[in-house]
Amino acid sequence: MQVLRAMKSTSVSTEKDRAESLEGNQAGKREQTKLANRAAILEAGRQIFAELGYEGTTVRDIIRRTELASGTFYNYFKSKEEVFHALHDDGVARFKPLLRAARESAGQDFQAFMITAFEAYFNFLMNDQSVDREIAAMPEWTRVRFDTPESLALFDELKGDIIAFAAEFKLNHVDPELLTASCVGIAQEIGDRLLRGRIKDIDAAARFAAYFVLGGSQRVQSEMQV
Amino acid sequence: MQVLRAMKSTSVSTEKDRAESLEGNQAGKREQTKLANRAAILEAGRQIFAELGYEGTTVRDIIRRTELASGTFYNYFKSKEEVFHALHDDGVARFKPLLRAARESAGQDFQAFMITAFEAYFNFLMNDQSVDREIAAMPEWTRVRFDTPESLALFDELKGDIIAFAAEFKLNHVDPELLTASCVGIAQEIGDRLLRGRIKDIDAAARFAAYFVLGGSQRVQSEMQV
DNA sequence: ATACGATGTTGACGCGCTGTCAGCTTTTCG
DNA sequence: CGAAAAGCTGACAGCGCGTCAACATCGTAT
């Protein structure tokens, strides 16, 4: 049985847009079911991953939560990994505009960019219904991390921004790759602690990270004393 | 068939010590085979994980590389995850003394500690036969990360060191948890790039990281211009 | 030396997941 | 409307999982 009007309202946004864009036009029924099935699988996957963790879920678990037959799954995805990648990429796509907004609101102000960007990331982490959020928050010892092309594109975009600011501030001896990597590493580790509740204050964390990137622990010291 | 004198010379060091310490004494034969079996499984696991990746390997793959029967595996480990954790912990145990050496050689010099510690970590990553090294170097999109109690203990030790230096330098407004987390994040991301060959110069990377932690991008700029 | 209990090993078994494919249903289009 | 294309279905063979009754080996008491 195919899934026609499945998709709960919680469905993944970018994917939903994809569906709706064809729905308005009188798309062929075939086209519609394909979109609906894909969306149903993704939504089921999002739920199951959140419940069972990445390792714990099976393709069968996902498909069982839809009205589709097991074989149909493989018309849309090769494996659970591909489902997760699609969900992950969707999250990245949702975050991208937030990063762009941070850059635009900051103008030439490197410090403002850093604070806004870290804030945007941490808020996104804590509030967006992304798979990564659910997964990372699980009390597991073994975790997964994903480097999709979409992730790498985001990294490159951030690197581009950082290169621009570095040029502005004559940081010509600072390797942009290393600098960007460090920012990402910091965001990851601090984000992880936020998700696990070991740290509560999102804004303080963002300021810490931003000052740290700009001037290291010394700068943090001078800025954080109220 | 039990494995008595299995262990290749490449076997995991800490575990090997455990075996040899009992071998010298006239340990019971039972005791010996237990150690040898455990070691054989670990060594087989190390190889297979390196060949097939974490996700790709099965308990059967591991046991097939030993002379043991499948049921025996479960007398020693609950799952492949537990094998990996043991291998991982072993790596952590091998790294720990290197970190201690860095702290002792640095005396009261925070900068020296940071440089030596990052150098030690990056060299360890690139040269030690750890599972993590092999795994991280694989061209996968999906990766695993492990937070074992052993890892957390290492983190706490590092945090303790950092707290000591922070007190020395009156960094009383710098949250040690966040600072340590940032160091770890930087080490992870840069280490990853070293493993994947995107970056070559280990010492330059260590200096970058150390200066970055101390004084952020500005400090890197002023220190790295030869 | 022998015998017996304890300890550990073995591999076959039932179960569930994987990915496939022949057959069937639905859609498209002339 | 009818034929061809598209795609859904679920049964199936293959394999990994964790278990366990039967068996082998070791330690120990006599």
Side-chain angles (χ1 to χ4, degrees):
Chain A
M1 173 179 291
Q2 303 137 348
V3 178
L4 245 193
R5 21 174 263 88
M7 296 313 297
K8 317 280 276 295
S9 59
T10 56
S11 68
V12 183
S13 71
T14 312
E15 295 282 348
K16 191 167 57 178
D17 294 346
R18 190 206 296 216
E20 281 173 359
S21 72
L22 273 189
E23 197 172 320
N25 322 344
Q26 67 307 347
K29 195 153 194 205
R30 262 210 148 121
E31 221 59 32
Q32 281 186 50
T33 27
K34 274 210 294 201
L35 258 358
N37 286 353
R38 185 185 157 90
I41 293 173
L42 284 172
E43 173 58 20
R46 204 182 60 80
Q47 293 176 19
I48 300 284
F49 280 130
E51 290 169 23
L52 271 38
Y54 179 76
E55 298 266 317
T57 95
T58 69
V59 169
R60 247 62 180 185
D61 291 326
I62 297 174
I63 209 64
R64 241 182 260 122
R65 181 147 309 188
T66 72
E67 293 173 316
L68 301 166
S70 61
T72 305
F73 177 91
Y74 296 95
N75 287 345
Y76 294 88
F77 300 96
K78 280 206 317 290
S79 60
K80 72 168 173 175
E81 181 177 354
E82 221 175 87
V83 174
F84 201 102
H85 280 172
L87 290 166
H88 174 80
D89 283 356
D90 208 55
V92 173
R94 265 171 286 144
F95 176 65
K96 230 175 205 170
L98 302 183
L99 180 63
R100 296 220 171 106
R103 188 182 52 221
E104 270 155 34
S105 83
Q108 307 288 4
D109 188 343
F110 194 12
Q111 173 170 318
F113 172 65
M114 276 292 153
I115 293 182
T116 324
F118 276 117
E119 248 173 34
Y121 178 65
F122 293 147
N123 276 308
F124 177 80
L125 257 197
M126 298 295 278
N127 299 320
D128 186 90
Q129 304 258 40
S130 84
V131 248
D132 306 79
R133 178 184 173 286
E134 315 276 4
I135 293 285
M138 297 188 63
E140 292 292 330
W141 283 353
T142 304
R143 333 243 221 98
V144 276
R145 178 191 152 171
F146 296 87
D147 282 346
T148 62
E150 199 73 17
S151 301
L152 299 181
L154 181 64
F155 180 89
D156 284 339
E157 191 172 322
L158 176 61
K159 184 165 142 189
D161 295 344
I162 284 179
I163 287 175
F165 281 110
E168 181 77 19
F169 287 84
K170 309 272 192 298
L171 297 175
N172 52 314
H173 288 92
V174 181
D175 183 333
E177 176 78 16
L178 287 178
L179 180 50
T180 312
S182 299
C183 291
V184 169
I186 292 167
Q188 295 250 352
E189 284 300 310
I190 294 184
D192 196 79
R193 276 158 185 78
L194 283 167
L195 283 177
R196 289 164 176 258
R198 265 167 86 54
I199 290 172
K200 312 285 183 185
D201 190 337
I202 296 184
D203 286 352
R207 275 181 290 127
F208 176 98
Y211 294 134
F212 188 77
V213 170
L214 293 170
S217 43
Q218 290 169 353
R219 178 71 176 274
V220 172
Q221 166 70 11
S222 61
E223 298 278 358
M224 294 302 253
Q225 48 192 337
V226 187
Chain B
M1 175 179 288
Q2 304 136 346
V3 177
L4 243 191
R5 21 173 269 89
M7 297 312 296
K8 316 279 277 295
S9 58
T10 56
S11 69
V12 183
S13 71
T14 311
E15 294 283 347
K16 189 166 58 178
D17 294 348
R18 190 205 295 214
E20 281 172 359
S21 74
L22 272 189
E23 197 173 321
N25 322 344
Q26 67 307 348
K29 194 155 195 202
R30 280 236 131 93
E31 222 57 35
Q32 281 186 50
T33 30
K34 274 210 294 201
L35 257 358
N37 286 353
R38 184 185 158 91
I41 292 173
L42 283 172
E43 173 58 21
R46 205 183 58 81
Q47 293 175 21
I48 299 284
F49 280 131
E51 289 169 22
L52 271 38
Y54 180 76
E55 298 265 316
T57 94
T58 69
V59 169
R60 248 62 180 186
D61 290 328
I62 297 174
I63 210 66
R64 243 182 259 121
R65 181 146 310 188
T66 71
E67 293 172 317
L68 302 166
S70 61
T72 305
F73 178 91
Y74 297 95
N75 285 346
Y76 294 89
F77 300 96
K78 280 206 318 289
S79 60
K80 72 167 175 177
E81 181 177 355
E82 221 174 87
V83 174
F84 201 103
H85 281 172
L87 290 167
H88 174 81
D89 282 356
D90 207 57
V92 173
R94 265 171 287 143
F95 176 67
K96 229 174 205 170
L98 302 183
L99 180 64
R100 296 219 172 106
R103 186 181 54 221
E104 270 155 36
S105 82
Q108 308 287 5
D109 188 343
F110 195 12
Q111 173 170 318
F113 172 65
M114 276 293 153
I115 293 182
T116 324
F118 277 118
E119 247 171 35
Y121 178 66
F122 293 147
N123 277 308
F124 177 80
L125 256 198
M126 298 296 277
N127 300 320
D128 186 89
Q129 305 258 40
S130 85
V131 250
D132 305 78
R133 178 183 173 285
E134 316 276 3
I135 292 285
M138 296 189 64
E140 292 292 329
W141 283 353
T142 304
R143 335 244 219 97
V144 277
R145 176 189 153 170
F146 296 86
D147 282 346
T148 61
E150 198 73 18
S151 301
L152 298 181
L154 181 63
F155 180 90
D156 284 339
E157 190 173 322
L158 177 61
K159 184 165 142 188
D161 296 343
I162 284 178
I163 287 175
F165 280 110
E168 180 78 19
F169 287 84
K170 309 272 193 295
L171 297 175
N172 52 316
H173 287 94
V174 181
D175 182 335
E177 175 78 17
L178 287 178
L179 180 50
T180 312
S182 299
C183 292
V184 168
I186 292 166
Q188 295 251 350
E189 284 301 310
I190 294 184
D192 196 79
R193 275 155 187 81
L194 283 166
L195 283 176
R196 288 165 176 258
R198 267 168 85 53
I199 289 172
K200 312 286 183 182
D201 190 338
I202 295 183
D203 286 353
R207 274 180 291 127
F208 175 99
Y211 293 134
F212 189 77
V213 170
L214 294 170
S217 43
Q218 290 170 354
R219 179 71 177 274
V220 172
Q221 167 69 13
S222 62
E223 297 279 358
M224 293 302 254
Q225 49 190 336
V226 185

